[in-house]
Amino acid sequence: MAASSCDRGDTRKKLQITVVFLVRTLLLACIIARGVLALIRVAFRVAVVAPARSLVAVAGAAFSAVNARCAWCLEQAALGRSCTGTVLGDAVVGAMASSWRLLLQGITSLVFLCARGADEYVRPPPSPLVLTAHGKPASHPQQVHISTVGEKNMRISWVTDDLNAPSVVEYGTSPGKYTASATGDHTTYRYFLYKSGAIHHATIGPLEASTTYHYRCGKAGDEFTLRTPPARLPVEFVVVGDLGQTKWTASTLSHIGGGGGDYDVLLLPGDLSYADTQQPLWDTFGRLVQPLASARPWMVTEGNHEIEALPVVGIAPFAAYNARWRMPREESGSPSNLYYSFDAAGGAAHVVMLGSYAEFEEGSPQRAWLERDLAGVDRRRTPWLLALVHAPWYNTNEAHQGEGERMRRAMESLLYEARVDVVFAGHVHAYERFTRIYDNEADSRGPMYITIGDGGNREGLALKFIKGHKSAHLSEFREASFGHGRLRILNETSAVWTWHRNDDQFATVRDEVWLHSLAAGEPAATVASAAGGGGGHPADEL
């Protein structure tokens, strides 16, 4: 019996030793397998990923260098300067630079087309770009534009090639006599080998309403003049979308400024420069719009052409847009430069600038901000409430069908409950005005929806409207022509909207409608007219 007990003890001990051995062997095998996998990953990165990234980086650097050189050659030609010192050399280099620019435009359009799907609306050929050169010293300001900051302040933004130029604005009410000054800050950004100049921002004020101020940026260069918006109604907004920098753009800008600048604030619902990764085009755009943007506040929101994200090389979205076009997000409690709000006419009008390309679903920061912002609007003090977004929520054009639908479903109820009067959009390169709508039905308590993405972009017009579209009965007027719009708010109850077509030699009022503020109770029937357009009926035959 004693021998049997010893045998069982030995067997149990051997079994335990065997189990421990197997477990240790398994653990060792796992460790070896993990080591092998780690070596494989390292080898893969060394043999494949690193060379691929290096190749992409080299290609990006080469691309940027060639692109920057071609842009410089085109700028020198615009200034009437020689690139090579000989007429023949300049002709050859100019032809090569122009061919390169056209090639890039074609590649960019092809990439966008492939990314958006084969059923994307095919646009007409692009218009030639208008490249505005800068031939002044490096310390002189360029690309000057202004925006409202709070009730009595203005932000002045400009660029200098001199990175050490001071971020100072001197200003006063008499030419050349500056009684005040403000110091701001500056930033730069990189995009491949492109490095921006110093982008300055300085806030001046407090300023008197409806007053002309003369100012100088960085203690150098030209003097500029601005007029502050009024402290009470009436107030006039110019609205223009998808601007770009083409001959069509130049026509639009000339018509906007042709009346001596008789407006107070310009609203732009996205797609500014159409740089599309070609960063020097941000500079030429800033110089093109400077005569208008330095004289009246330009309040903008982003479009799809501002994204410019390149994850492969680590370029974040909206890098150029956020650096160059700083809007009053802090003052409106917004966590992002992509959406914000501001007051006009002493708070008689509240303008909400929404971001089509920032998160907007339930629980998103933008939606939470919008709920807070609208909840803070007292319609007894603020009879007019406007909203801007890039991708339209209602659209009967073949171009960009349904691209704003997700945002509409997420946010339309908020605007409806707040009794927003008008919603402006861009993106579709045509003009279209809808009746007051809520949830795809006519509703006298809903906003009027207006698409005005016809500022002058390089892609051409969206010429085809869908006659049998489900929203066609809600569309009051539509036409594919370049132009701009004006909303003149006359008093607490009445405003007039006009759309000015500018593919004629002179801007022509093509559409006009009177609006009644939703804060004033149930609106009367809108009265619309269309010059030559059949009393506001849809213009399908173009």
Side-chain angles (χ1 to χ4, degrees), residues 148 150-151 229-237 264-265 267 299 341-352 373-374 376-388 420-422 424 487-495 517 519:
T148 62
E151 184 178 356
R232 60 185 62 84
L233 298 176
V235 63
E236 182 164 328
F237 298 96
D264 301 302
V265 180
L267 307 177
M299 310 305 291
S341 65
F342 68 96
D343 287 337
H350 185 70
V351 184
V352 179
D373 187 79
L374 294 177
V377 178
D378 182 356
R379 296 305 297 272
R380 293 169 298 181
R381 176 182 175 271
T382 306
W384 291 96
L385 187 51
L386 316 176
L388 280 82
V420 170
D421 294 286
V422 189
F424 296 104
L487 178 66
R488 182 166 180 78
I489 301 177
L490 301 172
N491 51 47
E492 288 75 11
T493 60
S494 300
S517 168

Side-chain angles (χ1 to χ4, degrees), residues 41-128:
R41 284 199 298 269
V42 170
F44 177 77
R45 288 176 179 175
V46 171
V48 179
V49 176
R53 287 181 176 174
S54 298
L55 182 62
V56 170
V58 171
F63 169 88
S64 181
V66 173
N67 192 49
R69 188 63 179 175
C70 288
W72 179 82
C73 291
L74 291 171
E75 182 171 301
Q76 294 303 301
L79 290 170
R81 296 174 179 172
S82 174
C83 298
T84 64
T86 65
V87 176
L88 180 59
D90 289 344
V92 173
V93 171
M96 293 174 64
S98 297
S99 299
W100 173 258
R101 178 174 57 78
L102 292 174
L103 174 63
L104 288 183
Q105 287 183 2
I107 291 174
T108 302
S109 298
L110 180 61
V111 170
F112 285 168
L113 181 62
C114 293
R116 296 175 185 175
D119 59 344
E120 171 66 11
Y121 175 72
V122 179
R123 302 189 183 281
S127 169

Side-chain angles (χ1 to χ4, degrees), residues 130-407:
V130 175
L131 300 177
T132 308
H134 177 66
K136 297 181 179 180
S139 62
H140 284 217
Q142 56 170 301
Q143 307 173 50
V144 181
H145 61 269
I146 65 176
S147 55
T148 62
V149 181
E151 184 178 356
K152 294 186 177 182
N153 297 299
M154 288 281 186
R155 177 178 287 119
I156 314 295
S157 302
W158 73 97
V159 177
T160 58
D161 293 329
D162 180 1
L163 300 182
N164 297 315
S167 302
V168 176
V169 175
E170 303 166 288
Y171 61 99
T173 55
S174 299
K177 296 181 180 180
Y178 309 126
T179 57
S181 66
T183 302
D185 56 41
H186 76 272
T187 185
T188 61
Y189 73 94
R190 286 188 176 273
Y191 200 101
F192 287 134
L193 287 184
Y194 173 89
K195 183 177 181 180
S196 72
I199 304 170
H200 306 265
H201 303 282
T203 300
I204 64 174
L207 306 174
E208 295 295 325
S210 301
T211 302
T212 297
Y213 285 88
H214 305 270
Y215 65 99
R216 186 174 65 164
C217 304
K219 298 185 177 181
D222 299 330
E223 180 180 83
F224 297 90
T225 302
L226 68 84
R227 190 184 73 199
T228 55
R232 60 185 62 84
L233 298 176
V235 63
E236 182 164 328
F237 298 96
V238 162
V239 189
V240 58
D242 298 67
L243 199 52
Q245 46 189 313
T246 68
K247 292 183 178 179
W248 297 320
T249 309
S251 176
T252 299
L253 295 176
S254 68
H255 291 148
I256 292 173
D262 59 338
Y263 64 96
D264 301 302
V265 180
L266 186 142
L267 307 177
L268 204 167
D271 283 358
L272 283 69
S273 70
Y274 281 78
D276 293 327
T277 74
Q278 301 176 58
Q279 296 307 296
L281 292 183
W282 275 107
D283 296 311
T284 55
F285 174 78
R287 294 193 284 264
L288 175 66
V289 303
Q290 176 179 283
L292 271 66
S294 63
R296 299 289 184 275
W298 277 41
M299 310 305 291
V300 306
T301 188
E302 85 283 2
N304 54 301
H305 287 276
E306 275 72 68
I307 299 175
E308 297 187 304
L310 292 176
V312 176
V313 292
I315 296 177
F318 306 109
Y321 173 78
N322 284 333
R324 295 171 182 270
W325 291 83
R326 187 183 296 178
M327 294 290 114
R329 70 171 186 85
E330 297 94 343
E331 291 75 14
S332 59
S334 170
S336 171
N337 193 52
L338 303 180
Y339 47 89
Y340 62 95
S341 65
F342 68 96
D343 287 337
H350 185 70
V351 184
V352 179
M353 310 290 282
L354 298 176
S356 289
Y357 304 97
E359 292 183 9
F360 47 72
E361 301 288 357
E362 185 78 36
S364 66
Q366 181 174 195
R367 183 183 171 88
W369 167 81
L370 180 60
E371 290 175 341
R372 294 193 304 270
D373 187 79
L374 294 177
V377 178
D378 182 356
R379 296 305 297 272
R380 293 169 298 181
R381 176 182 175 271
T382 306
W384 291 96
L385 187 51
L386 316 176
L388 280 82
V389 66
H390 185 62
W393 296 356
Y394 292 96
N395 170 33
T396 68
N397 198 288
E398 285 189 9
H400 303 300
Q401 265 299 308
E403 291 186 19
E405 181 63 13
R406 284 182 54 244
M407 191 176 190

Side-chain angles (χ1 to χ4, degrees), residues 30-45:
C30 291
I31 292 171
I32 293 172
R34 289 178 61 186
V36 171
L37 288 175
L39 289 174
I40 291 173
R41 284 199 298 269
V42 170
F44 177 77
R45 288 176 179 175

